[in-house]
Amino acid sequence: MKLLLFLILTLQLYRLFVLVMFRDAVTGSIGLTDYILAFFSGLRFDGRVSVLVLIPTFLTSIMCAFADVSRGATVVRAWMARIALLLNAVVFSVNFMFVTEYKDTFNQWIFGAVYDDFGAVIKSAWTSYPVVTITVATVLFYLLALKCALRLIKTPVFPDAWFSYLGKSLPMKAVTVACMLCIVTFCGRGSVVSRPVQLKDASVTRDSFLNRMVLNPWSALRYTVKHHKKVASAAGLESILPDGDMQGAVRSLFGEVPGNSLDAAMARTSRGAAAQRPKHIFYFVMESMDSWSTLERYRSLNLMPEMARLGKEGMQVRSFISASSGTMVSLSAIMTGLPDVGVITNYQPAAQKPFPTSMAPQFKDLGYETNLFYGGYLSWQRLEDFALNQGFDRCYGGNHMGDWLKGNEWGVDDGDLFDFILKQLDKETPSFNLILSTTYHPPYDLDVYGKGFSLKEIPPELSDVYDGKIPLATFGHLWYADHELGRFVREAEKRFPKALFAITGDHWSRKFLNEHPSLYESRSVPFVLYGKEVLSGVPIPKQVAGSHLDIMPTLLDLAAPKGHTYHSLGSSMLDPDRRQVGIGRGMMVTPGYMISGNRVEHLPYAEEAEAPDTGEVSRLVRSWRALGWWRIMKGSSLPSSSKEMAGLTP
């Protein structure tokens, strides 16, 4: 029991350490009561983890009531202390770096260790975090904690005289065993009431960061893996659409659908919006390019002057969000035309061939040669195989581009990537080119000042905003990516007639001037359309909002003749009659508001308008994700009734 309580104490102390180190991430509106609630609720989760680790010591302790196995029990306790504390020390060190990057205990991005380039992840961690310091602190913690634990478990609870008498008493043995069972049961359930502790019990305070720290790393990892397995299984629809009403989900987005075909529901018709059909289309997905620096308040930083120019001379959608919060999950959504629903689309069997909504085949049908250009390894997340399966004609990776050693473990610099594209393409052959950059990504080791970045001090008007935790040179990588993008566009529009450029970010960067960005500052990515000949005379609605899945239908509206049929879950942002919303994973944006869960924020540049109903927003996002999940996991045929639905979902 002493070892059990000691392990619980280590989890509580780690929680305290993290909250002290990241105290700036907690809002100032909470008080002592919130912290008490957080630690008490955390205690319930800590008990569940610790008691599972100590099952062998519990069993050997019970055996001591019936036979003299105390020596064996002592050995078991000592080894379980060593193993449990070592595991805690390792997980604490990994979790600390995870919290530093994601401001969360553990979430779905832990699967980067499985699906991502593990070597690149390790190298990025080595260059981005004080790994040596963290390792030394981990070893010291382990040695100190183990010394205390071993001393504690060898110290008797009762004096020898008491134990000599009480230990021989059958009633006392029964009472002791009963007490141990009660404590173990309480810890195993995390509760003395009717139900065990559940994930919802972590949301006990008014601060989202503090709530995320309620779960210890082990519990957070357990819930993350459990959710991932459920969503990726045949029963995953339940976690997205609890009532399972697929017909209702389709009606909320498209109205009635003949033939119970999801593909039929996603059929759309091109408006033939462009007077001059684009001959070359360049679709840029810029690594970690988010929108906050384009706001008027931050213009003095001059981080994205080229995007500002292209948006002014072309078309810019400011109310815009990404499909998801990571590179591959957003890219999968872009390439397949289906939302990120947590099933790792690029590894699903259905993705072995193109979906009707996949972009490459639809542009090939219009006569375009389809190319993927990526500055990194094409083996990363099986990107090359996935792209070819989804209909791309050719894939080019960092190994094709210049000197690989000039870049870092994630790929070549954006300048080398863009130079390669300019040399590779034939100006006479119509082409659709999906381009994924790499520069604005850890380890942020590019000499940006040598490249021309000039920001070495924060402008005076932003001194009260910048907390100094992220070096300005890190933001210089965003400037460099923008600089090279602008250079490419100027050169490409000279070389390639009737070129159209679509530019967005794969996800937000998780980099801001302080720990408390607004929803827009932390989640929005840019979207810009540029092409003087193609966009000449093409109007865009005054109030517009969108997301990644709306880009392809927008491009098809410009590239396809009027009346051309294509498939898309999104809709063209050039269509004045569309529902002006952009939907991402668990998020939605309108021309005036951004919504994430129950959090609703008015956008800083928007006119005053009535806030959307959060209940309606939740239903819309659930329907959107349910249709994506169904198409990936089940196919096009929809259940015709609730009875049929029950038979399909165990």
Side-chain angles (χ1 to χ4, degrees):
M1 293 298 100
K2 287 187 292 183
L3 184 54
L4 170 64
L5 295 175
F6 186 82
L7 290 180
I8 292 174
L9 178 62
T10 62
L11 294 170
Q12 287 277 306
L13 289 175
Y14 175 71
R15 182 177 292 108
L16 176 62
F17 172 74
V18 170
L19 288 173
V20 170
M21 294 299 294
F22 296 96
R23 56 191 178 277
D24 292 339
V26 181
T27 59
S29 60
I30 66 170
L32 180 61
T33 303
D34 295 282
Y35 284 102
I36 292 173
L37 286 171
F39 278 91
F40 176 74
S41 189
L43 178 67
R44 301 170 67 189
F45 290 99
D46 298 346
R48 297 194 79 179
V49 170
S50 300
V51 79
L52 288 174
V53 175
L54 294 181
I55 287 176
T57 68
F58 171 68
L59 295 176
T60 54
S61 295
I62 294 293
M63 290 172 62
C64 288
F66 307 100
D68 185 8
V69 292
S70 57
R71 287 187 178 183
T74 300
V75 172
V76 171
R77 290 189 197 106
W79 274 104
M80 288 307 298
R82 293 184 178 96
I83 294 170
L85 289 172
L86 179 61
L87 291 174
N88 272 353
V90 172
V91 168
F92 289 169
S93 62
V94 174
N95 180 255
F96 183 79
M97 290 185 283
F98 194 90
V99 175
T100 302
E101 178 67 22
Y102 296 100
K103 298 300 182 289
D104 200 352
T105 311
F106 277 134
N107 58 30
Q108 70 270 19
W109 297 121
I110 197 67
F111 292 109
V114 178
Y115 297 107
D116 228 328
D117 185 335
F118 187 70
V121 171
I122 295 299
K123 290 179 182 178
S124 291
W126 179 263
T127 55
S128 302
Y129 306 106
V131 176
V132 174
T133 302
I134 292 173
T135 302
V136 171
T138 300
V139 172
L140 291 176
F141 161 80
Y142 174 67
L143 294 176
L144 179 61
L146 181 60
K147 183 177 181 180
C148 293
L150 293 178
R151 177 176 295 180
L152 179 68
I153 61 179
K154 291 177 181 178
T155 304
V157 176
F158 303 108
D160 289 345
W162 290 24
F163 184 77
S164 178
Y165 171 73
L166 295 174
K168 296 177 181 179
S169 167
L170 183 60
M172 202 59 203
K173 289 180 179 181
V175 170
T176 303
V177 171
C179 289
M180 292 172 67
L181 283 171
C182 288
I183 294 173
V184 168
T185 301
F186 166 73
C187 289
R189 300 180 78 250
S191 172
V192 292
V193 294
S194 58
R195 66 167 177 82
V197 65
Q198 297 175 0
L199 180 59
K200 63 184 179 182
D201 295 315
S203 297
V204 292
T205 78
R206 295 168 291 170
D207 182 79
S208 58
F209 178 77
L210 185 55
N211 285 340
R212 289 193 289 271
M213 296 305 109
V214 166
L215 292 180
N216 59 65
W218 294 106
S219 296
L221 188 60
R222 171 180 172 265
Y223 282 115
T224 299
V225 171
K226 182 179 179 181
H227 177 74
H228 174 71
K229 289 174 65 178
K230 182 176 181 180
V231 171
S233 71
L237 182 64
E238 180 185 344
S239 63
I240 299 172
L241 193 68
D243 62 6
D245 183 9
M246 285 298 299
Q247 291 287 346
V250 173
R251 285 193 297 271
S252 67
L253 293 172
F254 302 112
E256 295 296 332
V257 181
N260 292 324
S261 168
L262 182 52
D263 291 345
M266 294 188 290
R268 298 185 181 277
T269 303
S270 170
R271 297 168 58 250
Q276 189 73 257
R277 180 175 182 255
K279 188 168 186 178
H280 298 273
I281 300 174
F282 298 94
Y283 186 162
F284 291 89
V285 183
M286 302 295 290
E287 173 66 51
S288 299
M289 182 174 276
D290 39 17
S291 297
W292 64 265
S293 66
T294 65
L295 294 174
E296 190 61 37
R297 185 183 188 188
Y298 307 110
R299 286 290 173 85
S300 59
L301 297 172
N302 201 35
L303 294 180
M304 295 207 301
E306 294 296 335
M307 281 291 284
R309 175 184 70 84
L310 295 172
K312 185 176 181 180
E313 296 178 7
M315 297 178 179
Q316 180 178 10
V317 178
R318 306 191 73 179
S319 301
F320 196 85
I321 57 176
S322 58
S324 194
S325 55
T327 300
M328 194 62 218
V329 280
S330 285
L331 192 66
S332 294
I334 288 170
M335 292 168 68
T336 63
L338 298 171
D340 169 33
V341 292
V343 300
I344 317 296
T345 306
N346 50 310
Y347 284 91
Q348 289 298 325
Q352 296 294 318
K353 60 181 181 180
F355 297 96
T357 53
S358 296
M359 62 163 46
Q362 303 201 73
F363 282 98
K364 285 170 70 173
D365 287 346
L366 295 172
Y368 290 97
E369 179 184 86
T370 55
N371 304 302
L372 171 71
F373 295 93
Y374 172 47
Y377 294 96
L378 288 173
S379 57
W380 169 75
Q381 296 264 20
R382 63 178 302 272
L383 177 57
E384 182 175 23
D385 291 340
F386 179 61
L388 293 174
N389 289 340
Q390 288 302 302
F392 279 86
D393 293 315
R394 296 177 182 83
C395 299
Y396 301 95
N399 56 308
H400 298 100
M401 305 167 188
D403 184 359
W404 184 267
L405 297 178
K406 288 171 61 180
N408 59 49
E409 60 270 12
W410 290 103
V412 299
D413 297 338
D414 286 358
D416 294 324
L417 165 64
F418 297 152
D419 286 342
F420 176 81
I421 297 170
L422 289 171
K423 296 174 184 177
Q424 188 66 32
L425 294 180
D426 173 22
K427 69 177 183 178
E428 299 301 328
T429 304
S431 66
F432 173 84
N433 307 283
L434 182 63
I435 304 161
L436 177 61
S437 75
T438 62
T439 290
Y440 191 32
H441 190 287
Y444 306 113
D445 57 357
L446 187 66
D447 180 14
V448 292
Y449 291 108
K451 299 286 187 180
F453 184 55
S454 59
L455 184 66
K456 296 184 178 181
E457 294 183 1
I458 199 73
E461 63 272 20
L462 295 175
S463 59
D464 61 332
V465 178
Y466 180 50
D467 62 12
K469 292 186 176 180
I470 298 177
L472 292 177
T474 297
F475 297 119
H477 290 72
L478 174 60
W479 171 88
Y480 172 76
D482 175 82
H483 174 78
E484 290 300 317
L485 172 67
R487 182 178 67 85
F488 174 88
V489 171
R490 282 191 291 272
E491 184 64 29
E493 64 181 340
K494 293 177 184 176
R495 294 194 187 188
F496 303 109
K498 297 188 281 293
L500 176 65
F501 305 87
I503 308 161
T504 188
D506 59 348
H507 57 82
W508 58 93
S509 67
R510 296 182 287 275
K511 297 289 183 290
F512 186 61
L513 299 177
N514 57 55
E515 298 278 5
H516 300 288
S518 67
L519 201 52
Y520 183 86
E521 290 165 343
S522 64
R523 299 296 178 88
S524 178
V525 299
F527 176 63
V528 165
L529 269 179
Y530 177 80
K532 294 179 180 178
E533 292 188 49
V534 176
L535 297 179
S536 177
V538 177
I540 187 170
K542 183 179 179 181
Q543 298 291 318
V544 62
S547 71
H548 278 162
L549 296 195
D550 299 314
I551 295 179
M552 185 190 70
T554 303
L555 296 177
L556 285 169
D557 239 8
L558 296 167
K562 185 176 181 179
H564 175 79
T565 300
Y566 63 93
H567 290 83
S568 174
L569 188 53
S571 58
S572 171
M573 289 175 280
L574 301 176
D575 184 357
D577 299 322
R578 73 186 286 265
R579 179 186 289 172
Q580 292 297 350
V581 297
I583 301 177
R585 183 170 180 177
M587 289 191 64
M588 192 175 89
V589 65
T590 70
Y593 287 87
M594 188 171 285
I595 308 101
S596 178
N598 292 323
R599 187 178 174 187
V600 181
E601 286 189 9
H602 184 258
L603 298 177
Y605 49 80
E607 300 175 358
E608 289 296 330
E610 183 179 353
D613 177 73
T614 55
E616 179 60 29
V617 166
S618 297
R619 285 189 290 274
L620 189 61
V621 172
R622 283 198 303 268
S623 297
W624 174 274
R625 298 189 69 226
L627 266 58
W629 183 93
W630 188 272
R631 189 59 187 84
I632 295 168
M633 303 300 292
K634 295 290 187 180
S636 176
S637 298
L638 293 167
S640 57
S641 65
S642 57
K643 183 176 181 180
E644 184 181 345
M645 183 72 231
L648 288 168
T649 305

